[in-house]
Coordinates of all heavy atoms in Angstrom, one line a residue:
N182 N 6.7 -0.7 -9.0 CA 7.5 -1.9 -8.7 C 6.6 -3.2 -8.8 O 6.8 -4.1 -8.0 CB 8.1 -1.8 -7.3 CG 9.2 -2.9 -7.1 OD1 9.9 -3.3 -8.0 ND2 9.3 -3.4 -5.9
N183 N 5.7 -3.2 -9.7 CA 5.0 -4.5 -10.0 C 6.0 -5.5 -10.6 O 7.1 -5.1 -11.0 CB 3.8 -4.3 -10.8 CG 4.0 -3.8 -12.2 OD1 5.0 -4.3 -12.9 ND2 3.2 -2.9 -12.7
I184 N 5.6 -6.7 -10.8 CA 6.5 -7.7 -11.3 C 7.0 -7.4 -12.7 O 8.1 -7.7 -13.0 CB 5.8 -9.1 -11.2 CG1 6.9 -10.2 -11.5 CG2 4.6 -9.2 -12.2 CD1 6.4 -11.6 -11.2
A185 N 6.2 -6.8 -13.5 CA 6.6 -6.5 -14.9 C 7.7 -5.4 -14.9 O 8.7 -5.6 -15.5 CB 5.4 -6.0 -15.7
E186 N 7.5 -4.4 -14.2 CA 8.5 -3.3 -14.1 C 9.8 -3.9 -13.5 O 10.9 -3.6 -14.0 CB 8.0 -2.2 -13.2 CG 8.9 -1.0 -13.2 CD 8.4 0.2 -12.3 OE1 8.1 0.0 -11.1 OE2 8.2 1.2 -12.9
S187 N 9.7 -4.7 -12.5 CA 10.9 -5.3 -11.9 C 11.7 -6.2 -12.9 O 12.9 -6.1 -13.0 CB 10.5 -6.2 -10.7 OG 11.6 -6.9 -10.2
I188 N 10.9 -7.0 -13.7 CA 11.6 -7.8 -14.7 C 12.4 -7.0 -15.7 O 13.6 -7.2 -16.0 CB 10.6 -8.7 -15.4 CG1 10.1 -9.8 -14.5 CG2 11.2 -9.3 -16.7 CD1 8.9 -10.6 -15.1
F189 N 11.7 -5.9 -16.2 CA 12.4 -5.2 -17.3 C 13.5 -4.3 -16.8 O 14.5 -4.1 -17.5 CB 11.3 -4.3 -18.0 CG 10.5 -5.1 -19.0 CD1 9.4 -5.8 -18.6 CD2 11.0 -5.3 -20.3 CE1 8.7 -6.6 -19.5 CE2 10.3 -6.1 -21.2 CZ 9.1 -6.7 -20.8
E190 N 13.4 -3.8 -15.5 CA 14.5 -3.1 -14.9 C 15.7 -4.0 -14.7 O 16.9 -3.6 -15.0 CB 14.1 -2.4 -13.6 CG 13.2 -1.2 -13.8 CD 12.9 -0.5 -12.5 OE1 13.3 -1.1 -11.4 OE2 12.3 0.5 -12.5
Q191 N 15.5 -5.2 -14.3 CA 16.6 -6.2 -14.1 C 17.2 -6.7 -15.4 O 18.4 -7.1 -15.4 CB 16.1 -7.4 -13.3 CG 15.8 -7.0 -11.8 CD 15.2 -8.2 -11.1 OE1 14.4 -8.9 -11.5 NE2 15.7 -8.3 -9.8
L192 N 16.5 -6.6 -16.5 CA 17.0 -7.0 -17.8 C 17.7 -5.9 -18.5 O 18.4 -6.2 -19.6 CB 15.8 -7.5 -18.7 CG 15.2 -8.8 -18.4 CD1 14.0 -9.0 -19.3 CD2 16.2 -10.0 -18.7
A193 N 17.7 -4.7 -18.0 CA 18.2 -3.5 -18.7 C 19.7 -3.7 -19.2 O 20.0 -3.2 -20.3 CB 18.1 -2.3 -17.8
R194 N 20.5 -4.4 -18.5 CA 21.9 -4.5 -18.9 C 22.3 -5.9 -19.4 O 23.4 -6.2 -19.6 CB 22.8 -4.2 -17.7 CG 22.7 -2.8 -17.1 CD 23.7 -2.5 -16.0 NE 23.4 -1.1 -15.5 CZ 24.2 -0.6 -14.6 NH1 25.2 -1.3 -14.0 NH2 23.9 0.6 -14.1
E195 N 21.2 -6.6 -19.8 CA 21.4 -8.0 -20.3 C 21.6 -7.9 -21.9 O 21.2 -6.9 -22.5 CB 20.3 -8.9 -20.0 CG 20.1 -9.1 -18.5 CD 21.3 -9.8 -17.9 OE1 21.8 -10.8 -18.4 OE2 21.8 -9.3 -16.8
P196 N 22.1 -8.9 -22.5 CA 22.3 -8.9 -24.0 C 21.0 -8.6 -24.7 O 21.1 -8.0 -25.8 CB 22.9 -10.3 -24.3 CG 23.5 -10.7 -23.0 CD 22.7 -10.1 -21.9
H197 N 19.9 -9.2 -24.3 CA 18.6 -9.0 -24.9 C 17.6 -8.4 -23.9 O 16.9 -9.2 -23.3 CB 18.1 -10.3 -25.5 CG 19.1 -11.0 -26.4 ND1 19.3 -10.5 -27.7 CD2 19.9 -12.1 -26.2 CE1 20.2 -11.3 -28.3 NE2 20.6 -12.3 -27.4
P198 N 17.7 -7.1 -23.7 CA 16.9 -6.5 -22.6 C 15.4 -6.5 -22.8 O 14.6 -6.4 -21.8 CB 17.4 -5.1 -22.5 CG 18.0 -4.8 -23.8 CD 18.5 -6.1 -24.3
V199 N 14.9 -6.7 -24.0 CA 13.5 -6.8 -24.2 C 13.2 -8.2 -24.7 O 13.5 -8.6 -25.8 CB 13.0 -5.8 -25.3 CG1 11.5 -6.0 -25.6 CG2 13.3 -4.4 -24.9
P200 N 12.7 -9.0 -23.8 CA 12.5 -10.5 -24.1 C 11.5 -10.7 -25.2 O 10.6 -9.9 -25.4 CB 12.0 -11.1 -22.8 CG 11.4 -9.9 -22.1 CD 12.2 -8.7 -22.4
S201 N 11.7 -11.8 -25.9 CA 10.8 -12.1 -27.0 C 9.5 -12.6 -26.4 O 8.4 -12.3 -26.9 CB 11.4 -13.3 -27.9 OG 12.5 -12.8 -28.5
W202 N 9.6 -13.4 -25.2 CA 8.4 -13.9 -24.6 C 8.6 -13.8 -23.0 O 9.7 -14.0 -22.5 CB 8.3 -15.4 -24.9 CG 7.8 -15.7 -26.3 CD1 8.6 -16.0 -27.3 CD2 6.5 -15.7 -26.8 NE1 7.9 -16.2 -28.5 CE2 6.6 -16.0 -28.2 CE3 5.2 -15.5 -26.2 CZ2 5.4 -16.1 -29.0 CZ3 4.1 -15.6 -27.0 CH2 4.2 -15.9 -28.4
V203 N 7.5 -13.5 -22.4 CA 7.3 -13.8 -20.9 C 6.3 -14.8 -20.8 O 5.2 -14.7 -21.3 CB 7.0 -12.5 -20.2 CG1 6.8 -12.8 -18.7 CG2 8.0 -11.4 -20.3
V204 N 6.6 -15.9 -20.1 CA 5.7 -17.1 -20.0 C 5.3 -17.2 -18.5 O 6.1 -17.3 -17.6 CB 6.5 -18.4 -20.4 CG1 5.5 -19.5 -20.3 CG2 7.0 -18.2 -21.8
V205 N 4.0 -17.2 -18.3 CA 3.5 -17.3 -16.9 C 2.2 -18.3 -16.9 O 1.6 -18.5 -18.0 CB 3.0 -16.0 -16.3 CG1 4.2 -15.0 -16.2 CG2 1.9 -15.3 -17.2
G206 N 1.9 -18.8 -15.8 CA 0.7 -19.5 -15.6 C -0.4 -18.6 -15.2 O -0.2 -17.4 -15.0
A207 N -1.6 -19.1 -15.1 CA -2.8 -18.3 -14.7 C -3.5 -19.0 -13.6 O -4.0 -20.2 -13.8 CB -3.7 -18.0 -15.8
G208 N -3.7 -18.4 -12.4 CA -4.5 -18.9 -11.3 C -5.7 -17.9 -11.2 O -6.8 -18.3 -11.4
T209 N -5.4 -16.7 -10.9 CA -6.4 -15.6 -11.0 C -6.4 -15.0 -12.3 O -7.4 -14.5 -12.8 CB -6.1 -14.5 -9.9 OG1 -4.8 -13.9 -10.2 CG2 -6.1 -15.1 -8.5
G210 N -5.2 -14.9 -13.0 CA -5.0 -14.2 -14.2 C -4.4 -12.8 -14.0 O -4.1 -12.1 -14.9
G211 N -4.1 -12.5 -12.7 CA -3.6 -11.2 -12.4 C -2.2 -11.0 -12.9 O -1.8 -9.9 -13.3
T212 N -1.3 -12.0 -12.9 CA 0.1 -11.8 -13.3 C 0.1 -11.6 -14.8 O 0.8 -10.7 -15.3 CB 0.9 -13.0 -13.0 OG1 0.9 -13.2 -11.5 CG2 2.3 -12.9 -13.4
S213 N -0.6 -12.4 -15.6 CA -0.6 -12.2 -17.0 C -1.3 -10.8 -17.4 O -0.8 -10.2 -18.4 CB -1.4 -13.3 -17.8 OG -2.7 -13.5 -17.3
A214 N -2.3 -10.4 -16.6 CA -2.9 -9.1 -16.9 C -1.9 -8.0 -16.6 O -1.8 -7.0 -17.4 CB -4.1 -8.9 -16.0
T215 N -1.2 -8.1 -15.5 CA -0.2 -7.0 -15.2 C 0.9 -6.9 -16.3 O 1.2 -5.8 -16.8 CB 0.4 -7.3 -13.8 OG1 -0.6 -7.3 -12.8 CG2 1.5 -6.3 -13.5
I216 N 1.5 -8.1 -16.6 CA 2.6 -8.1 -17.6 C 2.1 -7.7 -19.0 O 2.7 -6.9 -19.7 CB 3.3 -9.5 -17.6 CG1 3.9 -9.7 -16.3 CG2 4.3 -9.5 -18.8 CD1 4.5 -11.1 -16.1
G217 N 0.9 -8.2 -19.4 CA 0.4 -7.9 -20.7 C 0.0 -6.4 -20.9 O 0.3 -5.8 -21.9
R218 N -0.5 -5.8 -19.8 CA -0.8 -4.4 -19.9 C 0.4 -3.6 -19.9 O 0.5 -2.6 -20.6 CB -1.7 -4.0 -18.7 CG -3.1 -4.5 -18.7 CD -3.7 -4.4 -17.3 NE -5.2 -4.3 -17.4 CZ -6.0 -4.4 -16.3 NH1 -5.4 -4.6 -15.1 NH2 -7.3 -4.4 -16.4
Y219 N 1.4 -4.0 -19.1 CA 2.6 -3.2 -19.0 C 3.4 -3.2 -20.3 O 3.9 -2.1 -20.7 CB 3.5 -3.8 -17.9 CG 4.8 -3.1 -17.6 CD1 4.8 -2.0 -16.7 CD2 6.0 -3.4 -18.3 CE1 6.0 -1.3 -16.5 CE2 7.2 -2.7 -18.0 CZ 7.2 -1.7 -17.1 OH 8.3 -1.0 -16.9
V220 N 3.5 -4.3 -21.0 CA 4.3 -4.3 -22.2 C 3.6 -3.4 -23.3 O 4.2 -2.8 -24.1 CB 4.6 -5.7 -22.8 CG1 5.5 -6.5 -21.8 CG2 3.3 -6.5 -23.1
R221 N 2.3 -3.4 -23.3 CA 1.6 -2.5 -24.2 C 1.7 -1.0 -23.8 O 1.9 -0.2 -24.7 CB 0.1 -2.9 -24.2 CG -0.2 -4.2 -25.0 CD -1.5 -4.8 -24.7 NE -1.8 -5.9 -25.6 CZ -1.2 -7.1 -25.5 NH1 -0.3 -7.4 -24.5 NH2 -1.5 -8.1 -26.3
Y222 N 1.6 -0.8 -22.5 CA 1.8 0.6 -22.0 C 3.2 1.2 -22.4 O 3.3 2.3 -22.7 CB 1.5 0.6 -20.5 CG 1.7 2.0 -19.9 CD1 0.8 3.0 -20.2 CD2 2.6 2.2 -18.9 CE1 0.9 4.2 -19.6 CE2 2.7 3.4 -18.2 CZ 1.9 4.4 -18.6 OH 2.0 5.7 -18.0
R223 N 4.2 0.3 -22.2 CA 5.6 0.7 -22.5 C 5.9 0.6 -24.0 O 7.1 0.8 -24.4 CB 6.5 -0.1 -21.7 CG 6.4 0.2 -20.2 CD 6.7 1.6 -19.8 NE 6.6 1.8 -18.4 CZ 6.7 3.0 -17.8 NH1 6.8 4.1 -18.6 NH2 6.5 3.2 -16.5
R224 N 5.0 0.1 -24.8 CA 5.2 0.0 -26.3 C 6.3 -1.0 -26.6 O 7.2 -0.7 -27.4 CB 5.4 1.3 -26.9 CG 4.2 2.3 -26.7 CD 4.4 3.6 -27.4 NE 5.5 4.3 -26.9 CZ 5.6 5.0 -25.8 NH1 4.6 5.1 -25.0 NH2 6.7 5.7 -25.5
L225 N 6.4 -2.1 -25.9 CA 7.4 -3.1 -26.1 C 6.9 -4.2 -27.0 O 5.7 -4.5 -27.1 CB 7.8 -3.7 -24.7 CG 8.3 -2.7 -23.7 CD1 8.5 -3.3 -22.3 CD2 9.7 -2.1 -24.1
D226 N 7.9 -4.9 -27.6 CA 7.5 -6.0 -28.6 C 7.4 -7.3 -27.9 O 7.1 -8.3 -28.6 CB 8.5 -6.1 -29.7 CG 8.5 -4.8 -30.6 OD1 7.4 -4.3 -30.8 OD2 9.5 -4.5 -31.2
T227 N 7.6 -7.4 -26.6 CA 7.5 -8.6 -25.9 C 6.1 -9.2 -26.0 O 5.1 -8.5 -25.9 CB 7.8 -8.4 -24.4 OG1 9.1 -7.9 -24.3 CG2 7.7 -9.7 -23.6
R228 N 6.0 -10.5 -26.2 CA 4.7 -11.2 -26.2 C 4.5 -12.0 -24.9 O 5.5 -12.5 -24.3 CB 4.7 -12.1 -27.4 CG 4.6 -11.4 -28.7 CD 4.9 -12.2 -29.9 NE 6.3 -12.6 -30.0 CZ 6.8 -13.4 -30.9 NH1 6.1 -13.9 -31.9 NH2 8.1 -13.6 -30.9
V229 N 3.3 -12.2 -24.6 CA 2.9 -12.9 -23.3 C 2.3 -14.3 -23.7 O 1.3 -14.4 -24.4 CB 1.9 -12.1 -22.5 CG1 1.5 -12.9 -21.2 CG2 2.6 -10.8 -22.1
C230 N 2.9 -15.3 -23.1 CA 2.4 -16.7 -23.3 C 1.9 -17.2 -21.9 O 2.6 -17.0 -20.9 CB 3.5 -17.6 -23.8 SG 3.0 -19.4 -23.8
V231 N 0.6 -17.7 -21.9 CA 0.1 -18.2 -20.6 C 0.0 -19.7 -20.8 O -0.5 -20.3 -21.8 CB -1.3 -17.7 -20.4 CG1 -2.0 -18.4 -19.2 CG2 -1.2 -16.2 -20.0
V232 N 0.6 -20.5 -19.8 CA 0.5 -21.9 -19.8 C -0.6 -22.4 -18.9 O -0.9 -21.7 -17.9 CB 1.9 -22.5 -19.3 CG1 2.9 -22.3 -20.4 CG2 2.3 -21.9 -18.0
D233 N -1.2 -23.5 -19.2 CA -2.4 -23.9 -18.5 C -2.3 -25.4 -18.3 O -2.0 -26.2 -19.2 CB -3.7 -23.6 -19.3 CG -4.9 -23.4 -18.4 OD1 -4.8 -23.0 -17.3 OD2 -6.0 -23.7 -18.9
P234 N -2.7 -25.9 -17.1 CA -2.6 -27.4 -16.9 C -3.8 -28.1 -17.5 O -4.7 -27.5 -18.0 CB -2.7 -27.5 -15.4 CG -2.6 -26.1 -14.8 CD -3.0 -25.2 -15.9
E235 N -3.7 -29.4 -17.5 CA -4.8 -30.3 -18.0 C -6.1 -29.9 -17.4 O -6.2 -29.7 -16.2 CB -4.5 -31.7 -17.7 CG -3.3 -32.3 -18.5 CD -3.1 -33.8 -18.1 OE1 -4.0 -34.4 -17.4 OE2 -2.0 -34.3 -18.3
G236 N -7.2 -29.9 -18.2 CA -8.5 -29.8 -17.7 C -9.0 -28.4 -17.2 O -10.1 -28.2 -17.0
S237 N -8.0 -27.4 -17.2 CA -8.4 -26.1 -16.7 C -9.2 -25.4 -17.8 O -9.2 -25.7 -19.0 CB -7.1 -25.3 -16.5 OG -7.4 -23.9 -16.3
A238 N -10.1 -24.4 -17.3 CA -11.0 -23.7 -18.2 C -10.3 -22.6 -19.0 O -10.9 -22.2 -20.0 CB -12.1 -23.2 -17.4
F239 N -9.1 -22.1 -18.5 CA -8.6 -21.0 -19.2 C -8.3 -21.2 -20.7 O -8.6 -20.4 -21.5 CB -7.3 -20.5 -18.5 CG -7.5 -19.9 -17.1 CD1 -6.9 -20.4 -16.0 CD2 -8.3 -18.7 -17.0 CE1 -7.1 -19.8 -14.8 CE2 -8.5 -18.1 -15.8 CZ -7.9 -18.7 -14.7
F240 N -7.6 -22.4 -21.0 CA -7.2 -22.6 -22.4 C -8.4 -22.7 -23.3 O -8.5 -22.0 -24.3 CB -6.3 -23.9 -22.4 CG -5.9 -24.2 -23.8 CD1 -4.8 -23.6 -24.4 CD2 -6.5 -25.1 -24.6 CE1 -4.3 -23.9 -25.7 CE2 -6.1 -25.4 -25.9 CZ -5.0 -24.8 -26.4
P241 N -9.4 -23.6 -23.0 CA -10.5 -23.7 -23.9 C -11.3 -22.4 -24.0 O -11.9 -22.0 -25.0 CB -11.4 -24.8 -23.4 CG -10.9 -25.0 -22.0 CD -9.5 -24.6 -22.0
G242 N -11.4 -21.7 -22.8 CA -12.1 -20.4 -22.8 C -11.4 -19.4 -23.7 O -12.1 -18.6 -24.4
W243 N -10.1 -19.4 -23.7 CA -9.3 -18.4 -24.5 C -9.5 -18.7 -26.0 O -9.7 -17.9 -26.9 CB -7.9 -18.4 -24.1 CG -7.0 -17.4 -24.8 CD1 -6.9 -16.0 -24.4 CD2 -6.1 -17.6 -25.9 NE1 -6.0 -15.4 -25.2 CE2 -5.5 -16.3 -26.1 CE3 -5.8 -18.7 -26.6 CZ2 -4.6 -16.1 -27.1 CZ3 -4.8 -18.5 -27.6 CH2 -4.2 -17.2 -27.9
V244 N -9.4 -20.0 -26.3 CA -9.4 -20.5 -27.7 C -10.8 -20.2 -28.3 O -10.9 -19.7 -29.5 CB -9.1 -22.0 -27.8 CG1 -9.4 -22.5 -29.2 CG2 -7.6 -22.2 -27.5
S245 N -11.9 -20.5 -27.5 CA -13.2 -20.3 -28.1 C -13.8 -18.9 -27.9 O -14.8 -18.5 -28.5 CB -14.2 -21.3 -27.3 OG -14.3 -20.9 -26.0
G246 N -13.1 -18.1 -27.0 CA -13.7 -16.8 -26.7 C -14.9 -16.8 -25.8 O -15.6 -15.8 -25.7
D247 N -15.1 -18.0 -25.2 CA -16.3 -18.2 -24.4 C -15.9 -18.3 -22.9 O -15.3 -19.3 -22.5 CB -17.0 -19.5 -24.8 CG -18.3 -19.8 -24.0 OD1 -18.7 -18.9 -23.1 OD2 -18.9 -20.8 -24.2
S248 N -16.2 -17.2 -22.1 CA -15.7 -17.2 -20.7 C -16.6 -18.1 -19.8 O -16.3 -18.2 -18.6 CB -15.7 -15.8 -20.2 OG -17.0 -15.2 -20.2
S249 N -17.7 -18.6 -20.4 CA -18.5 -19.5 -19.6 C -18.1 -20.9 -19.6 O -18.7 -21.8 -18.9 CB -20.0 -19.4 -20.1 OG -20.1 -20.0 -21.4
V250 N -17.0 -21.3 -20.3 CA -16.5 -22.6 -20.4 C -16.2 -23.1 -19.0 O -15.7 -22.4 -18.1 CB -15.2 -22.7 -21.2 CG1 -14.5 -24.0 -21.1 CG2 -15.6 -22.5 -22.7
R251 N -16.5 -24.4 -18.7 CA -16.2 -25.0 -17.4 C -15.1 -26.1 -17.6 O -15.1 -26.8 -18.6 CB -17.4 -25.6 -16.8 CG -18.4 -24.5 -16.3 CD -17.8 -23.7 -15.1 NE -18.7 -22.6 -14.6 CZ -18.6 -21.4 -15.0 NH1 -17.8 -21.0 -15.9 NH2 -19.4 -20.5 -14.5
G252 N -14.2 -26.2 -16.6 CA -13.2 -27.2 -16.6 C -13.2 -28.0 -15.3 O -14.2 -28.1 -14.7
A253 N -12.1 -28.5 -15.0 CA -11.9 -29.4 -13.8 C -10.9 -28.7 -12.9 O -10.2 -27.8 -13.2 CB -11.4 -30.8 -14.2
A254 N -10.9 -29.2 -11.6 CA -10.0 -28.7 -10.6 C -8.6 -29.2 -11.1 O -8.4 -30.2 -11.6 CB -10.3 -29.3 -9.3
S255 N -7.6 -28.3 -10.9 CA -6.2 -28.6 -11.4 C -5.4 -29.3 -10.4 O -5.5 -29.1 -9.2 CB -5.5 -27.2 -11.7 OG -4.2 -27.4 -12.0
R256 N -4.6 -30.3 -10.9 CA -3.6 -31.0 -10.0 C -2.4 -30.2 -9.8 O -1.5 -30.5 -9.0 CB -3.3 -32.3 -10.6 CG -4.5 -33.3 -10.6 CD -4.0 -34.7 -11.1 NE -3.7 -34.7 -12.5 CZ -3.5 -35.8 -13.2 NH1 -3.6 -37.0 -12.6 NH2 -3.3 -35.7 -14.5
I257 N -2.2 -29.1 -10.6 CA -1.0 -28.2 -10.4 C -1.5 -27.0 -9.6 O -2.1 -26.1 -10.1 CB -0.5 -27.8 -11.8 CG1 -0.2 -29.0 -12.7 CG2 0.8 -27.0 -11.6 CD1 0.8 -30.0 -12.2
E258 N -1.1 -27.1 -8.3 CA -1.6 -26.1 -7.4 C -1.2 -24.7 -7.8 O 0.0 -24.5 -8.1 CB -1.2 -26.4 -6.0 CG -1.9 -27.6 -5.4 CD -1.6 -27.7 -3.9 OE1 -1.4 -26.7 -3.2 OE2 -1.6 -28.9 -3.4
G259 N -2.1 -23.7 -7.6 CA -1.7 -22.3 -7.9 C -2.1 -21.8 -9.3 O -2.3 -20.6 -9.5
I260 N -2.2 -22.8 -10.2 CA -2.6 -22.4 -11.6 C -3.7 -23.3 -12.1 O -3.9 -24.4 -11.6 CB -1.5 -22.3 -12.6 CG1 -0.8 -23.7 -12.7 CG2 -0.5 -21.2 -12.2 CD1 0.3 -23.8 -13.8
G261 N -4.4 -22.9 -13.1 CA -5.5 -23.7 -13.7 C -6.8 -23.5 -12.8 O -6.7 -23.6 -11.5
R262 N -7.9 -23.4 -13.4 CA -9.1 -23.2 -12.6 C -10.3 -23.9 -13.3 O -10.3 -24.1 -14.5 CB -9.5 -21.7 -12.5 CG -8.5 -20.8 -11.9 CD -8.3 -21.2 -10.4 NE -9.6 -21.1 -9.7 CZ -9.7 -21.7 -8.5 NH1 -8.8 -22.4 -8.0 NH2 -10.9 -21.6 -7.9
P263 N -11.3 -24.3 -12.6 CA -12.5 -25.0 -13.2 C -13.4 -24.0 -13.9 O -14.3 -24.4 -14.6 CB -13.2 -25.6 -12.0 CG -12.8 -24.8 -10.8 CD -11.4 -24.4 -11.1

Side-chain angles (χ1 to χ4, degrees):
N182 195 33
N183 67 38
I184 191 169
E186 183 177 63
S187 176
I188 288 170
F189 281 90
E190 285 185 353
Q191 290 176 317
L192 284 172
R194 299 185 182 182
E195 297 300 309
H197 305 285
V199 178
S201 299
W202 290 93
V203 177
V204 181
V205 297
T209 62
T212 301
S213 58
T215 298
I216 295 171
R218 286 165 160 169
Y219 183 87
V220 297
R221 284 161 173 75
Y222 179 63
R223 296 296 180 189
R224 302 182 300 282
L225 302 169
D226 291 331
T227 299
R228 290 165 289 178
V229 176
C230 172
V231 170
V232 289
D233 206 31
E235 291 177 16
S237 170
F239 287 123
F240 181 82
W243 187 79
V244 170
S245 67
D247 181 4
S248 62
S249 68
V250 166
R251 290 294 179 264
S255 173
R256 291 184 292 189
I257 306 301
E258 288 191 32
I260 59 172
R262 299 296 304 162

